Amino acid sequence: MEFFERFAIPHPSAPIYASMVAIALTIVAIIAGLTYFKKWGYLWREWLTTVDHKRIGIMYLISALLMLFRGGVDALMMRAQLAVPDNKLLDAQHYNEVFTTHGVVMIIFMAMPFIMALMNFVVPLQIGARDVAFPRLNALSFWLFFMGAMLFNISFVVGGSPDAGWTSYFPLAGNEFSTSVGSNYYMIAIQIAGLGTLMTGINFITTIFKMRAPGMTLMKMPMFTWSALITNAIIVFAFPVLTVALAMGTMDRLFGTHFFTTNNGGMDMLWANLFWVWGHPEVYILILPAFGIYSEVISTFARRNLYGYKSMVVSMVLISFMSFLVWVHHFFTMGQGALTNSIFSITTMAIAVPTGIKIFNWLFTLYKGKIEITTPMLYALLFIPLFTIGGVTGVMLGMSAADYQYHNTMFLVAHFHMVIIPGVVFAMLAGLTYWWPKMFGFMLNERLGKLAAWVIGISTLVAFMPMFFSGLDGQARRMYTYSASTGFGPLNMISFVGAIGLAVGFAIIVYNVYYSVRYASRDIGADPWNARTLEWATHSPVPEYNFAIVPHVKSAEALWDAKKKRHILFQGDYEKIHMPNNSGVPFIMSSIFFVWGFAMIFSMWAVAIIATIGIFACMAHRSVEIDHGRYISVRKIEETETKLRGAK
């Protein structure tokens, strides 16, 4: 009985029991399907052991989409709870768990892997490389992220979800106020996933610096690659801070230390500082790749080169530097004094300048362009006005005196979502649609894509604009209910309608994928968008080796200049190509990390020690393993190129 009590949900309900049944049935269905269709070998050979950056990118993409719907369900539950006064759909505890998991899932386990998906798939192609610098490390990065995500997501059916908010402020996240293992899940699952992200940062910085095609200087890199380079530099500097903070929080909860306690020398504000030293750069880890995507999309469909290339690069570098100088604006109201608040208010205003530069760069690119309204371009055009609303309200919040009025209200929630949804989610959907034919060899339906974009764009306004007004009227965030006398009911009902609209928009995207898989033409060529950068110079879908001949680059828009100025991209004859071997070690090692994390969460010390030994055994195995990779022969290359209608 004690065994079952250890893993019991502290606040069970009918939806949680239904989720348990659904998870069990899904697992049984997957196992039965793989067994019936005899796909276990295929799954192991082609996916679980792959080190191909393109397949890893697709696995990141699948994970991100699953987490998008997981977090979306949480969002609908919250908006439904607040749609009417004195609602009893969720009680206070369940609401706390739902908004905590919503924030963590959407930021850490949806937006981050979506970005990693596009970076993994696109960046090596844009720089003319055949893979990333460290293919096995890339596989390990994905599987650590995936195991961290799965560990976090079993919390609501085993042991209980975290309930201290997505920022997990202490002492609320300490043992005194968070008595279940929910906050243990938070500390350890994010730690495991964060290790994978840190490895990705190191890997892609090395890849971009060391593996660019001949002739591609830094100032000839496509803008998305520039955004990836700067983003990964932020990751390398910011994520160790999160790693340290989570380790200290874990020790407070499991071993009785006092880093963040309010007694025995602890300092709860230390957590707030460490969290936001990571957390605000994290916002730019999300937004900078989005800026890179918009730059590629706007340039492609305005049919002209990106205006102000150098100023775009400089503004991204400035943003990356300044992102580490604004973290205190997240707690203007927590008592650090007028001088400190003033300094960080100024830095907050200042970081808006390079962001504004980019908006004008895109507008000038559109000016006199021959604009073609495709689905990716529609997302980019919708982004500019909606993101501007989010940005302007961010400047309002950056005024430290005014922030006392705005800070703990729905105004802040509206600002954050009006930045992240147009700035990140729209960009991810634009990038997904834009690079979909390169990933899968067919295009998504344009009519359905544009319909989804309009529904999502309008629903974003409907869902979040009312929150600005209810926040200014005094509606506090994090409150699970309110009385009818407050007058917040109508505005919250409008927000709920907007949330339903967002769900409809994403359902249209799902149907679009289904429809396009069945009916879309597979004869689209390598460059269906008439694009400008190097990834469109190889086949769709991309062969294992990316390029049969390494391209020679003369400009930042290598393919466009090859088409318009007769630049020769591919010179010479085929030569055998060295490629890395697949490996099961990253998957096995990450699975052991999952066991280790679960054991640590529940203080199962014997299992944790055995798992730790297993992790070091995997590291030792890699240290002594002799694996020189393999070669693809010229004959095999010729056969592949002939099948794919020849290299261009």
Side-chain angles (χ1 to χ4, degrees):
M1 192 65 183
E2 181 183 347
F3 178 84
F4 291 104
E5 288 177 355
R6 171 181 286 184
F7 304 113
I9 303 297
H11 305 284
S13 66
I16 289 178
Y17 290 132
S19 298
M20 292 179 178
V21 173
I23 290 171
L25 291 176
T26 301
I27 293 172
V28 170
I30 291 172
I31 293 172
L34 290 170
T35 304
Y36 179 80
F37 292 105
K38 300 179 180 179
K39 291 294 184 180
W40 286 106
Y42 167 80
L43 181 66
W44 177 258
R45 291 190 307 273
E46 301 296 329
W47 294 98
L48 299 184
T49 63
T50 186
V51 297
D52 185 344
H53 71 94
K54 299 178 290 297
R55 288 181 180 265
I56 290 171
I58 290 170
M59 290 193 292
Y60 268 120
L61 177 62
I62 293 169
S63 302
L65 292 173
L66 289 174
M67 293 299 102
L68 174 63
F69 288 99
R70 161 75 170 87
V73 169
D74 287 340
L76 286 173
M77 292 171 67
M78 284 190 288
R79 296 322 311 163
Q81 167 64 20
L82 294 174
V84 294
D86 299 311
N87 200 353
K88 299 295 192 295
L89 177 66
L90 300 174
D91 62 28
Q93 177 62 32
H94 288 155
Y95 187 84
N96 286 346
E97 293 177 4
V98 166
F99 88 72
T100 299
T101 55
H102 169 74
V104 174
V105 165
M106 287 302 205
I107 297 295
I108 305 293
F109 299 127
M110 186 283 289
M112 287 295 292
F114 223 134
I115 288 165
M116 297 303 171
L118 297 180
M119 283 200 303
N120 263 278
F121 197 95
V122 175
V123 168
L125 296 175
Q126 282 200 334
I127 64 173
R130 293 206 164 103
D131 210 318
V132 296
F134 308 112
R136 284 201 185 183
L137 189 67
N138 198 27
L140 180 61
S141 298
F142 167 74
W143 287 115
L144 283 175
F145 151 77
F146 183 80
M147 295 302 174
M150 292 303 101
L151 185 62
F152 185 86
N153 276 278
I154 66 169
S155 64
F156 74 107
V157 293
V158 182
S161 294
D163 57 4
W166 86 274
T167 55
S168 201
Y169 282 149
F170 283 81
L172 192 61
N175 289 326
E176 181 182 358
F177 296 104
S178 184
T179 55
S180 76
V181 296
S183 289
N184 294 355
Y185 272 110
Y186 179 102
M187 298 292 161
I188 292 171
I190 297 177
Q191 183 82 292
I192 293 170
L195 287 173
T197 303
L198 180 59
M199 293 175 187
T200 297
I202 296 167
N203 204 347
F204 273 85
I205 290 172
T206 308
T207 300
I208 293 169
F209 274 127
K210 304 297 290 185
M211 299 183 69
R212 299 190 306 277
M216 184 177 283
T217 62
L218 288 175
M219 296 308 292
K220 291 179 182 177
M221 294 195 309
M223 197 53 62
F224 181 67
T225 298
W226 258 114
S227 72
L229 175 61
I230 295 168
T231 296
N232 284 290
I234 298 175
I235 286 173
V236 167
F237 282 98
F239 264 81
V241 180
L242 179 66
T243 300
V244 170
L246 291 170
M248 293 163 73
T250 301
M251 287 190 280
D252 269 16
R253 288 191 56 85
L254 296 183
F255 304 117
T257 57
H258 295 278
F259 292 111
F260 306 128
T261 59
T262 54
N263 55 16
N264 293 319
M267 185 187 298
D268 54 338
M269 278 300 296
L270 178 59
W271 170 268
N273 277 276
L274 291 175
F275 181 88
W276 286 115
V277 166
W278 163 81
H280 200 86
E282 166 67 14
V283 173
Y284 291 98
I285 290 170
L286 302 180
I287 208 74
L288 286 177
F291 288 168
I293 292 167
Y294 286 131
S295 297
E296 302 290 351
V297 167
I298 289 172
S299 178
T300 295
F301 297 112
R303 304 302 177 197
R304 59 173 299 184
N305 61 305
L306 188 66
Y307 180 88
Y309 177 96
K310 290 182 180 179
S311 65
M312 291 285 274
V313 173
V314 171
S315 66
M316 283 197 290
V317 172
L318 286 174
I319 287 171
S320 69
F321 174 73
M322 296 174 71
S323 70
F324 288 91
L325 304 178
V326 297
W327 81 92
V328 174
H329 73 213
H330 289 278
F331 41 92
F332 277 151
T333 62
M334 294 187 188
Q336 61 265 17
L339 177 62
T340 301
N341 280 359
S342 298
I343 292 169
F344 284 94
S345 185
I346 292 168
T347 60
T348 302
M349 302 291 181
I351 202 170
V353 175
T355 306
I357 289 171
K358 305 179 84 58
I359 297 287
F360 283 105
N361 284 137
W362 293 317
L363 292 175
F364 282 125
T365 303
L366 293 168
Y367 179 64
K368 291 187 177 180
K370 297 177 181 178
I371 298 172
E372 180 183 353
I373 306 297
T374 61
T375 300
M377 188 62 157
L378 183 55
Y379 280 115
L381 294 176
L382 289 169
F383 147 77
I384 292 174
L386 298 186
F387 181 79
T388 301
I389 294 171
V392 168
T393 54
V395 174
M396 294 171 64
L397 286 157
M399 294 183 287
S400 56
D403 189 62
Y404 278 80
Q405 171 68 28
Y406 306 136
H407 182 75
N408 206 38
T409 71
M410 296 301 288
F411 187 94
L412 189 146
V413 177
H415 152 72
F416 183 78
H417 286 83
M418 287 298 291
V419 168
I420 293 298
I421 292 181
V424 178
V425 177
F426 283 21
M428 297 304 107
L429 296 175
L432 175 65
T433 310
Y434 182 61
W435 283 302
W436 184 277
K438 188 57 58 177
M439 291 180 178
F440 301 108
F442 64 92
M443 300 179 72
L444 294 175
N445 183 272
E446 277 289 287
R447 289 186 64 185
L448 289 170
K450 290 176 182 176
L451 175 62
W454 278 115
V455 171
I456 291 171
I458 293 169
S459 298
T460 299
L461 282 171
V462 174
F464 298 107
M465 287 303 291
M467 295 184 194
F468 285 117
F469 299 107
S470 68
L472 290 174
D473 283 344
Q475 184 182 2
R477 58 181 175 148
R478 303 194 182 102
M479 299 298 289
Y480 85 103
T481 191
Y482 54 92
S483 68
S485 62
T486 61
F488 299 146
L491 289 171
N492 280 282
M493 178 55 74
I494 295 171
S495 287
F496 177 58
V497 172
I500 294 294
L502 285 167
V504 170
F506 286 109
I508 294 170
I509 293 174
V510 173
Y511 177 72
N512 190 0
V513 172
Y514 164 77
Y515 179 88
S516 301
V517 167
R518 291 198 64 181
Y519 302 114
S521 170
R522 267 54 176 178
D523 187 18
I524 60 170
D527 182 22
W529 300 117
N530 191 23
R532 309 173 80 85
T533 46
L534 207 54
E535 72 270 26
W536 301 100
T538 188
H539 309 289
S540 301
V542 185
E544 177 189 10
Y545 46 76
N546 294 351
F547 299 95
I549 300 171
V550 175
H552 285 67
V553 174
K554 297 182 180 179
S555 72
E557 297 182 320
L559 177 60
W560 187 257
D561 288 339
K563 292 186 285 191
K564 301 299 180 181
K565 298 180 181 179
R566 306 295 183 184
H567 288 180
I568 299 174
L569 282 176
F570 302 105
Q571 304 172 22
D573 300 321
Y574 295 146
E575 297 179 0
K576 64 180 181 179
I577 298 172
H578 181 266
M579 297 296 292
N581 287 321
N582 285 1
S583 174
V585 174
F587 175 77
I588 294 169
M589 184 174 178
S590 302
S591 299
I592 298 172
F593 259 104
F594 180 93
V595 174
W596 175 85
F598 189 85
M600 290 290 289
I601 288 164
F602 288 95
S603 302
M604 300 159 61
W605 304 123
V607 177
I609 291 169
I610 294 169
T612 302
I613 294 170
I615 291 167
F616 279 100
C618 289
M619 296 169 67
H621 172 268
R622 180 56 181 149
S623 298
V624 300
E625 182 183 16
I626 299 174
D627 183 358
H628 299 298
R630 60 192 171 83
Y631 283 94
I632 301 175
S633 67
V634 172
R635 182 178 63 82
K636 182 66 174 177
I637 297 168
E638 290 173 343
E639 290 175 356
T640 304
E641 293 297 305
T642 301
K643 181 180 178 182
L644 296 172
R645 295 183 296 279
K648 295 186 178 182

